[in-house]
Amino acid sequence: MGKLVYKRKKHYYFRYTINGKRKSQPTGQTNEKKAIAWAIDFKKKLDNPEPIVKFQKTTNPLTFEHATLLYIEGKLGMVLPKFRKTAKGEIKLKTLHDQIRYIENWSHGFRYHKVCEYFMYKSKFNNFPLKRGGLMKIVDINMNLLNTTFSNTSKKISESYRAWRSQQKVTKNGVEINQYISPATINREIGFIRGILNYVYLVKEIRPVMHRGHWKELFVEEKVRPKTTLTIKEEEALYKVLDNYHNKHLKEFIRFSILLAQRKSMNLNLKIKDLDFDAKTIHFYNSKRSKPHVLPMTKEIYTILKRLIGNRYDPEEPVFTYMDKAYKNPTTGFKKALKEAGITKNIRIHDLRHTGAERLASKTQIIQIQKILDHSTITTTQIYANSGNDEQVLEALETISGKN
């Protein structure tokens, strides 16, 4: 036992090994017996460390709800709404939770709601019931909360966020359909929690509870869906079918989506006030990155937009409409038109963006493509740059040789 501590000048020190590294810790004792007792107690703490949550629980009562508010106001610069617009009129948002959930042009509102729903579910089995999930303290959000199982009588309840979420079904227009939540959706929600916590750890100088390694354990492996695009001939066949449709805006929407290669939500959320015909620019709002995105109008885009707007002048009116209402779901008409045009590929509305991006990749420099697609990193843009066909590769090689 005497080897447990050693003396340096007046005080005793405790020597120990952790993660293969030898370290030394001052005991603060001048008496050998007291130093040995201190060292034994310290060794017990090393072997059975207390959760960091207990260290911080009393020092930081910040809730997830207020952490999200800090993120929204501090990082995104957004303002909470007081009312929510519905078909029946405006509804006053009474709680902070609802104000966060219904922020306009913020794609994470629903994710926030689902995360809070999980915290409420989890609290029932963890002895701290909550009135609403957003009141969960951020120092209580750890691996023990997100990725373990607890026993409730004889029945074991899966407590990991991904297990809980993957058992739920997709809801469309308030109706549950026979389709489970995808791994990609779960990963985005886990990424949302990570973004909030990491921001608050930084600005409030809180010692991180969740580290990089913890998050890796929570993410689910996703199935990579091959990118599907429309050829020129398929696009022309689709337009022939759409020429006979009552809804003329569907054809315009598809052409617009290919020409500008923007996301469906960004196109559908476009309002008349976002168009500057004098400067020939379009002011999109990228809800995925929570920032504006400005693109110039080509001649064809200018013509399409002028035709779409006609004599409408209300700046708050949407650009794409159907029967004098905002065009919300072009998917049904798009799928029907594909079938009538004899196109058997599994093409989604989002694949129109991929179609435009691949056509850009054959003729445009990658840095310009990144700017048009509004990717945060060039790595994402390189996916399109690597998708060239053999004819495009041959054309590129002939360019190098200097022969036309």
Side-chain angles (χ1 to χ4, degrees), residues 140-260:
D140 288 329
I141 302 173
N142 54 18
M143 284 298 288
N144 189 46
L145 178 78
L146 295 176
N147 200 25
T148 55
T149 55
F150 288 95
S151 294
N152 183 27
T153 62
S154 60
K155 184 180 177 182
K156 282 205 168 184
I157 296 170
S158 177
E159 296 291 335
S160 69
Y161 183 80
R162 62 186 183 188
W164 174 81
R165 195 74 172 97
S166 61
Q167 292 166 11
Q168 298 181 344
K169 291 189 176 181
V170 177
T171 303
K172 286 190 176 180
N173 299 323
V175 180
E176 193 176 86
I177 63 174
N178 192 26
Q179 180 184 334
Y180 288 98
I181 301 297
S182 68
T185 300
I186 297 169
N187 286 344
R188 288 190 189 103
E189 289 167 2
I190 292 170
F192 165 69
I193 303 172
R194 179 177 64 179
I196 299 294
L197 293 186
N198 285 346
Y199 177 77
V200 174
Y201 291 157
L202 184 67
V203 298
K204 289 293 183 180
E205 298 181 350
I206 301 169
R207 187 178 172 187
V209 179
M210 294 285 287
H211 295 275
R212 189 174 181 181
H214 294 151
W215 293 111
K216 285 184 178 179
E217 292 180 37
L218 292 173
F219 285 101
V220 189
E221 187 177 351
E222 296 180 31
K223 289 182 180 178
V224 180
R225 182 186 183 274
K227 284 184 170 55
T228 314
T229 57
L230 281 173
T231 63
I232 300 292
K233 287 183 179 179
E234 287 170 339
E235 187 184 349
E236 288 172 353
L238 187 63
Y239 292 153
K240 283 183 181 179
V241 171
L242 290 169
D243 283 336
N244 299 319
Y245 272 38
H246 171 69
N247 179 12
K248 301 300 179 185
H249 278 204
L250 180 55
K251 179 182 175 180
E252 306 283 25
F253 177 80
I254 292 170
R255 185 62 180 158
F256 184 87
S257 299
I258 293 174
L259 289 173
L260 285 175

Side-chain angles (χ1 to χ4, degrees), residues 100-102 106-117 161 165 168 171 181 185 189 192:
I100 293 172
R101 183 183 175 185
Y102 294 111
W106 192 53
S107 60
H108 295 303
F110 183 73
R111 288 170 193 156
Y112 168 78
H113 176 67
K114 278 296 167 187
V115 170
C116 291
E117 190 179 313
Y161 183 80
R165 195 74 172 97
Q168 298 181 344
T171 303
I181 301 297
T185 300
E189 289 167 2
F192 165 69

Side-chain angles (χ1 to χ4, degrees), residues 9-195:
K9 295 184 180 178
K10 291 183 179 181
H11 294 86
Y12 284 89
Y13 287 74
F14 169 50
R15 183 179 287 126
Y16 60 99
T17 304
I18 186 167
N19 296 331
K21 294 182 180 180
R22 294 186 70 186
K23 296 193 175 185
S24 188
Q25 179 77 19
T27 65
Q29 303 293 334
T30 54
N31 181 282
E32 186 178 4
K33 287 184 178 180
K34 288 182 180 180
I36 290 170
W38 186 95
I40 292 170
D41 186 54
F42 185 78
K43 194 171 184 303
K44 284 180 182 177
K45 289 180 180 179
L46 284 177
D47 296 335
N48 301 291
E50 291 184 2
I52 192 170
V53 178
K54 290 186 178 179
F55 171 76
Q56 291 184 321
K57 201 172 282 186
T58 55
T59 59
N60 208 310
L62 188 67
T63 63
F64 183 71
E65 191 173 73
H66 280 90
T68 308
L69 181 61
L70 284 173
Y71 178 84
I72 291 165
E73 294 182 339
K75 187 171 184 179
L76 306 182
M78 290 181 163
V79 179
L80 295 181
K82 299 295 182 184
F83 297 90
R84 178 194 171 202
K85 291 181 180 178
T86 65
K88 295 180 180 180
E90 289 189 338
I91 298 175
K92 188 174 182 180
L93 301 172
K94 296 179 181 179
T95 65
L96 179 57
H97 174 90
D98 288 338
Q99 289 174 2
I100 293 172
R101 183 183 175 185
Y102 294 111
I103 293 176
E104 192 176 357
N105 294 326
W106 192 53
S107 60
H108 295 303
F110 183 73
R111 288 170 193 156
Y112 168 78
H113 176 67
K114 278 296 167 187
V115 170
C116 291
E117 190 179 313
Y118 170 71
F119 288 157
M120 282 195 67
Y121 164 80
K122 191 70 179 280
S123 70
K124 294 176 184 176
F125 308 105
N126 211 14
N127 300 321
F128 46 88
L130 302 170
K131 290 181 180 179
R132 61 176 185 264
L135 299 180
M136 178 73 73
K137 292 181 182 179
I138 59 165
V139 290
D140 288 329
I141 302 173
N142 54 18
M143 284 298 288
N144 189 46
L145 178 78
L146 295 176
N147 200 25
T148 55
T149 55
F150 288 95
S151 294
N152 183 27
T153 62
S154 60
K155 184 180 177 182
K156 282 205 168 184
I157 296 170
S158 177
E159 296 291 335
S160 69
Y161 183 80
R162 62 186 183 188
W164 174 81
R165 195 74 172 97
S166 61
Q167 292 166 11
Q168 298 181 344
K169 291 189 176 181
V170 177
T171 303
K172 286 190 176 180
N173 299 323
V175 180
E176 193 176 86
I177 63 174
N178 192 26
Q179 180 184 334
Y180 288 98
I181 301 297
S182 68
T185 300
I186 297 169
N187 286 344
R188 288 190 189 103
E189 289 167 2
I190 292 170
F192 165 69
I193 303 172
R194 179 177 64 179

Side-chain angles (χ1 to χ4, degrees), residues 236-299:
E236 288 172 353
L238 187 63
Y239 292 153
K240 283 183 181 179
V241 171
L242 290 169
D243 283 336
N244 299 319
Y245 272 38
H246 171 69
N247 179 12
K248 301 300 179 185
H249 278 204
L250 180 55
K251 179 182 175 180
E252 306 283 25
F253 177 80
I254 292 170
R255 185 62 180 158
F256 184 87
S257 299
I258 293 174
L259 289 173
L260 285 175
Q262 301 304 304
R263 296 180 183 88
K264 179 179 79 170
S265 60
M266 291 169 64
N267 294 337
L268 291 177
N269 290 332
L270 208 58
K271 295 181 180 179
I272 292 175
K273 67 179 181 181
D274 300 322
L275 309 176
D276 188 339
F277 287 106
D278 294 328
K280 292 187 177 179
T281 55
I282 307 171
H283 296 255
F284 292 97
Y285 184 81
N286 188 343
S287 58
K288 194 171 183 180
R289 294 181 61 195
S290 301
K291 62 185 285 292
H293 176 47
V294 182
L295 284 178
M297 294 181 193
T298 61
K299 289 181 180 179

